[in-house]
Amino acid sequence: MADTIFKKIINKEIPADIVFESETVLAFRDINPKAPTHILIIPKLEIPTVRELNGKEHGPLLGEMIDAANLIAKNEEISADGFRLVFNCGNNGGQEVYHLHMHLLGGRQMTWPAG
Ligand code: AMP
């Protein structure tokens, strides 16, 4: 199967504005931002969607993604005012890239319900 665009970013085959990297997690700015701060937090492990996740196996990895989100939100100075974390899953969820990613959105008032 062909590599996703995010796998190519992990492999540094295509550039990205990386704001955080650890052994297991990578975070970079969304190329088409929907808020003043819009960062994608991804596991380096290839997991296509939320559907493939289970708490027992992936709990620690998800915890690392949340830790990264909190650290980045502080660095971006959006933590105190609040922010939104989003996983889109599958077709109806509006997922475009089939490598698991968590959107970190902030820097403006979010509306609800999401579109
Ligand atoms: P989703 O719709 O949840 O799958 O979100 C995919 C996100 O990836 C979208 O917000 C795109 O703007 C973003 N995106 C696609 N290609 C790139 C890229 N090369 N670098 C950064 N963000 C990207």
Side-chain angles (χ1 to χ4, degrees):
M1 221 176 71
D3 282 349
T4 66
I5 194 106
F6 292 174
K7 180 69 178 170
K8 289 179 182 164
I9 289 173
I10 291 167
N11 290 341
K12 311 279 161 70
E13 289 165 12
I14 63 165
D17 188 353
I18 293 170
V19 297
F20 175 87
E21 180 161 17
S22 72
E23 221 171 278
T24 51
V25 172
L26 185 69
F28 50 91
R29 291 187 198 283
D30 196 293
I31 207 164
N32 181 16
K34 316 298 187 298
T37 296
H38 186 176
I39 287 162
L40 301 171
I41 299 165
I42 73 172
K44 290 186 174 175
L45 194 65
E46 279 186 278
I47 302 168
T49 81
V50 167
R51 289 183 290 236
E52 284 72 50
L53 290 174
N54 69 79
K56 222 174 190 175
E57 189 179 349
H58 300 111
L61 179 60
L62 290 167
E64 288 176 51
M65 291 171 70
I66 295 290
D67 285 350
N70 271 320
L71 180 70
I72 295 162
K74 282 196 185 110
N75 290 345
E76 297 284 318
E77 299 182 341
I78 59 168
S79 183
D81 285 340
F83 52 86
R84 183 170 287 174
L85 297 175
V86 176
F87 285 96
N88 295 327
C89 180
N91 189 53
N92 276 5
Q95 186 172 3
E96 289 171 6
V97 179
Y98 280 77
H99 181 117
L100 187 75
H101 51 281
M102 184 168 71
H103 296 257
L104 166 62
L105 297 143
R108 68 168 169 83
Q109 179 65 58
M110 299 295 153
T111 58
W112 191 259

